[in-house]
Amino acid sequence: MPDALGVLAADAVQVLGGPRRDRIKACEGPGCAGLFLDTSRGGNRRWCSMNTCGNKVKKARLAAG
Ligand SMILES: [Zn+2]
């Protein structure tokens, strides 16, 4: 069985020391302090997860009219 945590840690080290480190961003979701690696082509991702924070922001916008 592969060591999933070890794989994630090794990947994080590569990201932090590699050319993608400027792609690490802070989530803009309300109340969320999550960091994420922006792997979108345009580098314009704003949330740690579209399914959680992205949806929260969308719903808040809809509620605000
Ligand atoms: Zn978030």
Side-chain angles (χ1 to χ4, degrees):
M1 191 173 188
D3 183 352
L5 281 176
V7 170
L8 282 176
D11 195 44
V13 168
Q14 280 182 4
V15 168
L16 288 172
R20 290 189 295 170
R21 64 187 180 278
D22 62 341
R23 288 285 193 134
I24 297 172
K25 297 182 175 178
C27 177
E28 293 183 17
C32 180
L35 295 174
F36 65 90
L37 177 66
D38 186 351
T39 54
S40 66
R41 186 172 296 202
N44 52 10
R45 191 173 148 192
R46 294 168 60 191
W47 306 294
C48 60
S49 169
M50 196 63 218
N51 289 328
T52 55
C53 291
N55 273 341
K56 266 190 220 167
V57 172
K58 272 189 177 176
K59 280 179 188 167
R61 277 196 196 137
L62 284 175

